[in-house]
Amino acid sequence: MNNNDQRQEYRLDNQLTVIIELDSSANGEPTLVVSKSLDISANGLRVIAHEAVATDIILRCCIRDETSDRQFLLVTEVKWCRPHESEGDYLIGLSLFDSDGTDIVKWKEYIAQSCAD
């Protein structure tokens, strides 16, 4: 099975800004990877970034919808990361966690509303 086809739910082609927070650097500041979503779903998303991200790690991320001025703070697991056809870009598969203290419920409502539109 192709990694791109592992999600079972409906995917939306929404282009959102996804900021992935990597571990803190030596000065205590987190390293941020800014990416764009290629497709999203209730439980995951596929993004394109200018740098690779380690797999099988849990990270926080912020997803922003510039058109509706909404943002979601979520916890993700990096399922896979591989070079994209454009030189220097990477495709990254993120799985979302149902975590307390995150916007996962708002995210799922956002996806449901987007599917209904």
Side-chain angles (χ1 to χ4, degrees):
M1 177 179 274
N2 187 322
N3 281 336
N4 290 340
D5 296 324
Q6 289 185 355
R7 282 186 279 140
Q8 300 300 313
E9 65 271 337
Y10 186 74
R11 299 180 196 189
L12 300 167
D13 292 332
N14 296 35
Q15 296 262 320
L16 308 176
T17 301
V18 181
I19 302 168
I20 303 166
E21 183 179 315
L22 302 180
D23 290 333
S24 298
S25 61
N27 66 4
E29 292 294 318
T31 301
L32 301 178
V33 175
V34 179
S35 61
K36 286 282 187 194
S37 64
L38 294 176
D39 60 61
I40 61 174
S41 67
N43 295 307
L45 57 154
R46 195 168 51 123
V47 302
I48 186 166
H50 295 302
E51 60 188 277
V53 176
T55 58
D56 301 318
I57 57 173
I58 309 297
L59 299 171
R60 293 189 304 179
C61 77
C62 175
I63 302 173
R64 292 184 182 159
D65 181 349
E66 310 293 338
T67 59
S68 69
D69 203 29
R70 295 183 70 184
Q71 79 175 18
F72 307 90
L73 300 175
L74 300 166
V75 174
T76 67
E77 179 180 4
V78 181
K79 296 301 238 179
W80 49 267
C81 178
R82 62 177 167 266
H84 187 45
E85 13 343 287
S86 18
E87 180 101 13
D89 284 340
Y90 294 86
L91 286 176
I92 303 168
L94 302 173
S95 175
L96 301 176
F97 282 105
D98 286 331
S99 301
D100 291 338
T102 68
D103 295 324
I104 191 67
V105 172
K106 290 180 185 175
W107 172 256
K108 290 185 180 202
E109 290 168 352
Y110 170 80
I111 294 295
Q113 180 64 43
S114 296
C115 287
D117 289 346

